[in-house]
Amino acid sequence: MALSLSSGTRPDTPGTAAPAPDAWLRRKKRRDRLRTIGFLSPWLVGFSVFFGYPLAATVYFSFMHYNQIKQPEFVGLRNWSYVFTQMPLFGPALWNTLWLVVVMVALRVVFGVGIGLLVTKLKSGVGFFRTAFYVPYLAPPVAATVAFVFLLNPATGPVNEILAAVGIDGPNWFNDPNWAKPSLVMLSLWSIGDLMVIFMAALLDVPKEQYEAAELDGAGALTKFRFVTWPNITPIVMFAVVTGVVQTMQYYTQALVAGKLASGVTIGPGTVIQPGYPDHSTITVPQLVYQLGFQNFNTGAACVLSLVLFAIAMAVTMLLMRRKSGLLSAED
């Protein structure tokens, strides 16, 4: 008696009339594709809701006049023209943001590697120093900024008092346009504990056999760091640089709070804080986005700035991720 063959029977089943091989392969590929999409669905939903839709909405509103009350009105490239040709603070904000990205990220990586090396080489008191360097990172950004502005107060701060005791005339720190951004960099270096822990883990993971081989070849400390330590921690350095660039491109809270405290403005009901004190030396693009979008209700121009910030962050990240950038070798 002949047996019936289901549509899912493989074409190589003996004694049966198999479907066409092409049809069976198409059904198999379709099942594999649906299975893959099922496994990816949580990520796809999250990506669409929290990245895809906001990005598409930002692009849409960048071509609209929208004050968050009336219906959006299409204005073409008017918002883009306003940002690039008429907004007086766009240039200083972009320059300050890029300056912080270059200087702050570079110094944080250098100090993170240096402190990680120092702590891993200690023979005693490792727990104390590790805790001492990590605790400032746990402080909330606003509280840490308030404490740092107090320490660097040019009139009553203990830092300038100590400098005066040794005959050094301390700067005005956050009240001086030339020292405001370096003061913010010092604040970021004070909370270097996150990178210290990451680099400590990377440094402790370097094979000791490579250090022993280098010592047998007569290598010194700098040679061992260049040819043993650095190649092993390069992927972690890349991670620190890329995440540092992304975080610094969104730099907002510390600069705003430091400028507010240094200017002596008292916040009360209805108080509008003008960012950038002193002389727009600490204004950043995220501050400008907030000012345009939530204080001036110019949503279109705020979306343009957001897209510019996104494009710069993507371009810098892609440049760093290239193998020829110097941070990644051909094997990585």
Side-chain angles (χ1 to χ4, degrees):
M1 181 176 179
L3 298 175
S4 60
L5 181 66
S6 63
S7 59
T9 305
R10 294 187 55 177
D12 56 352
T13 303
T16 58
D22 291 343
W24 179 83
L25 288 175
R26 284 196 298 269
R27 286 196 296 270
K28 184 177 184 301
K29 290 181 179 180
R30 188 182 304 113
R31 288 195 300 268
D32 292 341
R33 191 179 298 112
L34 291 175
R35 186 184 303 112
T36 303
I37 294 175
F39 283 116
L40 288 175
S41 58
W43 180 86
L44 292 174
V45 171
F47 178 85
S48 302
V49 172
F50 297 107
F51 182 81
Y53 171 74
L55 180 60
T58 303
V59 174
Y60 169 78
F61 284 116
S62 68
F63 298 101
M64 300 289 172
H65 173 70
Y66 180 49
N67 60 3
Q68 305 178 24
I69 299 175
K70 298 181 180 179
Q71 289 294 326
E73 178 185 354
F74 181 76
V75 294
L77 296 176
R78 190 179 304 172
N79 292 324
W80 293 82
S81 175
Y82 169 72
V83 169
F84 286 104
T85 62
Q86 301 179 32
M87 183 179 295
L89 295 181
F90 174 68
L94 185 60
W95 162 252
N96 293 335
T97 303
L98 296 178
W99 189 97
L100 290 172
V101 166
V102 173
V103 177
M104 186 179 293
V105 173
L107 289 180
R108 278 179 58 84
V109 170
V110 171
F111 273 73
V113 173
I115 296 175
L117 282 170
L118 175 64
V119 175
T120 55
K121 298 298 182 182
L122 291 175
K123 301 298 182 181
S124 60
V126 176
F128 169 77
F129 286 103
R130 184 171 53 199
T131 304
F133 283 117
Y134 187 74
V135 164
Y137 171 72
L138 300 177
V142 174
T145 306
V146 171
F148 214 73
V149 172
F150 169 75
L151 292 174
L152 297 181
N153 188 296
T156 60
V159 173
N160 275 15
E161 291 181 357
I162 294 174
L163 293 176
V166 296
I168 300 176
D169 188 13
N172 288 330
W173 303 111
F174 288 105
N175 296 88
D176 188 344
N178 297 320
W179 280 94
K181 287 192 291 291
S183 300
L184 292 174
V185 174
M186 292 172 60
L187 171 60
S188 70
L189 296 179
W190 181 56
S191 58
I192 199 68
D194 56 335
L195 289 186
M196 178 203 68
V197 171
I198 294 174
F199 284 122
M200 279 182 60
L203 292 167
L204 292 174
D205 197 45
V206 178
K208 295 183 179 180
E209 295 81 5
Q210 296 184 13
Y211 285 121
E212 295 173 356
E215 290 177 358
L216 291 176
D217 291 337
L222 292 178
T223 304
K224 287 191 291 185
F225 178 81
R226 178 182 177 184
F227 293 102
V228 178
T229 305
W230 182 256
N232 281 279
I233 68 171
T234 295
I236 309 303
V237 173
M238 170 60 70
F239 169 79
V241 171
V242 172
T243 55
V245 168
V246 174
Q247 292 175 357
T248 311
M249 292 291 286
Q250 306 173 47
Y251 200 73
Y252 176 85
T253 303
Q254 293 88 335
L256 185 67
V257 173
K260 177 262 171 185
L261 292 175
S263 65
V265 174
T266 302
I267 298 180
T271 302
V272 178
I273 303 175
Q274 296 299 327
Y277 179 86
D279 295 338
H280 307 301
S281 60
T282 59
I283 190 170
T284 60
V285 176
Q287 293 179 12
L288 210 55
V289 171
Y290 180 85
Q291 185 182 37
L292 285 172
F294 297 97
Q295 293 181 350
N296 299 340
F297 299 101
N298 190 346
T299 305
C303 289
V304 171
L305 284 176
S306 300
L307 292 174
V308 170
L309 202 63
F310 172 76
I312 295 175
M314 286 293 296
V316 173
T317 302
M318 293 175 62
L319 180 64
L320 291 172
M321 294 295 289
R322 292 180 59 191
R323 298 186 189 278
K324 295 182 181 180
S325 64
L327 289 179
L328 284 180
S329 60
E331 293 80 9
D332 293 327

